[in-house]
Amino acid sequence: MLIKRPSDIPASEITPRSVYLRRREFLQTAASAGVGAALGGASLLSAPAARAGEPIPDVRPSRFSTDETPTDREDITSYNNFYELGTDKRDPKRNADQLETRPWQVVVEGECEAPGVIGIEDILRDFPQEERIYRLRCVEAWAMVVPWVGFPLADLLTRFKPTSKAKYVAFETLYDPEMLPGQRRSVLDWPYREGLRMDEAMHPLTILATGLYGEILPSQNGAPLRLVVPWKYGFKSIKSIVRIHFTADQPPATWNMMQPSEYGFYANVNPEVDHPRWSQKSHRMIGAGLFARKRPTLKFNGYGEQVASLYDGMNLAEFY
């Protein structure tokens, strides 16, 4: 139902100012880039806003899920790398309530025929959500098994009609030091950026996650929309995405720019290539206990049968 209001009441006094300004910033950015808002702008105002912890309806099981037991929800939501909310593993949960995830829009642009802006509520409505129980391997040699809720990244990308010039897909995280206290320090070159080769982005294992354990994604886990690429180290799975850009050139990636000798652009899980400061041959499982035996790390995190062909002929010690 449309409720009209007197024209002399400014929108900033009706909507919380931080939300109003952020939404305006998204729309201005989209307009300056020549991006149409037909895919998400109008319905975002009327769609009901889901919140972290609320169940996601009609979640389907997926044939791509592992049969391993998921890590406890408390561990998944309280042991996180999300420097935008703090560098300590416990900081993201402590600071999670500072990140406002509604309303939220993603600008999609670059080498595509139908650039646009899409809202998170439209994403939840338009794309069937699946539970994908995936192994997650951090470059720091720890791991989890996470029951993500999400959908194939390819489904979203196809909607914007990438052209033959699009060889890579670049991603960017929200930059807003007011809401993201970690961005008030120069620990990284903000905003956080990542990228995939087009065939990696279109692979059926690559998803955009909107939730976990059947519920809307918590802020500390990258709400409201994060990338999940299960055969790569976790730092590739960029969180709180606000921009997707199709490009002909390999895009910048934050950790690769910071320490290229330690964090490669491809970041495929590979026990044969150690980090310069520690071995990648094994890892500890979060939640298994302090004295639990480490597990051997599998190449491509155990997804080699599905993805190894993407890298035929590549020297994975050089392109790490």
Side-chain angles (χ1 to χ4, degrees):
M1 179 177 65
L2 179 64
I3 301 175
K4 296 184 178 180
R5 62 176 184 266
S7 60
D8 60 340
I9 301 177
S12 58
E13 293 180 11
I14 296 171
T15 304
R17 181 171 176 78
S18 61
V19 175
Y20 168 77
L21 291 176
R22 189 164 81 257
R23 186 179 188 282
R24 184 178 63 183
E25 179 184 346
F26 275 126
L27 294 176
Q28 288 174 339
T29 301
S32 67
V35 175
L39 289 172
S43 60
L44 184 68
L45 292 175
S46 57
R51 299 291 176 179
E54 293 183 5
I56 299 175
D58 304 320
V59 176
R60 307 173 178 180
S62 171
R63 63 186 177 91
F64 294 112
S65 290
T66 176
D67 59 2
E68 297 176 58
T69 301
T71 301
D72 186 78
R73 188 185 191 282
E74 177 61 25
D75 289 322
I76 293 174
T77 59
S78 62
Y79 191 89
N80 307 105
N81 280 331
F82 193 6
Y83 281 16
E84 286 83 349
L85 291 173
T87 55
D88 184 85
K89 293 291 190 294
R90 308 296 176 181
D91 284 345
K93 185 174 183 178
R94 282 194 289 261
N95 295 324
D97 61 352
Q98 297 188 44
L99 174 57
E100 300 172 10
T101 60
R102 298 298 192 276
W104 193 277
Q105 291 178 300
V106 180
V107 175
V108 185
E109 60 186 4
E111 300 291 352
C112 59
E113 296 178 7
V117 181
I118 188 166
I120 184 60
E121 303 303 340
D122 301 287
I123 288 171
L124 288 166
R125 182 197 64 214
D126 293 351
F127 298 97
Q129 303 292 307
E130 300 180 0
E131 181 174 70
R132 296 280 186 103
I133 304 174
Y134 278 168
R135 293 179 288 274
L136 170 67
R137 173 60 155 82
C138 181
V139 73
E140 298 169 342
W142 56 263
M144 297 178 176
V145 177
V146 183
W148 301 109
V149 176
F151 63 98
L153 171 62
D155 290 355
L156 180 73
L157 299 184
T158 301
R159 176 176 288 197
F160 295 89
K161 301 181 180 180
T163 70
S164 60
K165 294 181 180 180
K167 306 300 182 184
Y168 294 86
V169 184
F171 305 87
E172 190 174 301
T173 294
L174 174 70
Y175 178 70
D176 188 334
E178 182 180 339
M179 290 198 299
L180 297 168
Q183 291 179 339
R184 300 168 198 165
R185 299 172 56 205
S186 300
V187 293
L188 291 175
D189 181 15
W190 309 115
Y192 197 94
R193 286 161 285 179
E194 259 304 340
L196 296 173
R197 212 169 58 190
M198 182 61 75
D199 56 349
E200 298 175 318
M202 300 298 285
H203 193 279
L205 286 181
T206 305
I207 66 170
L208 288 173
T210 59
L212 58 82
Y213 267 105
E215 299 174 347
I216 292 293
L217 196 65
S219 292
Q220 63 265 34
N221 293 99
L225 191 69
R226 66 168 286 167
L227 183 68
V228 177
V229 192
W231 70 92
K232 295 180 179 288
Y233 291 119
F235 67 85
K236 289 295 287 187
S237 293
I238 185 171
K239 303 174 178 73
S240 299
I241 297 169
V242 295
R243 187 177 299 276
I244 297 174
H245 187 98
F246 297 103
T247 177
D249 302 313
Q250 181 174 302
T254 293
W255 281 106
N256 179 238
M257 291 188 296
M258 291 280 290
Q259 293 286 351
S261 65
E262 298 186 2
Y263 307 101
F265 175 80
Y266 284 94
N268 292 319
V269 176
N270 191 347
E272 300 166 11
V273 178
D274 288 336
H275 188 281
R277 291 181 280 133
W278 58 78
S279 170
Q280 295 289 19
K281 293 179 174 59
S282 63
H283 58 267
R284 63 187 179 94
M285 294 298 297
I286 299 302
L290 184 62
F291 300 104
R293 181 177 298 178
K294 288 187 174 182
R295 295 187 184 183
T297 295
L298 302 175
K299 196 168 186 177
F300 299 113
N301 204 24
Y303 296 96
E305 184 176 345
Q306 294 95 334
V307 304
S309 62
L310 297 176
Y311 309 101
D312 284 347
M314 289 181 63
N315 182 338
L316 297 184
E318 178 182 357
F319 297 98
Y320 54 90

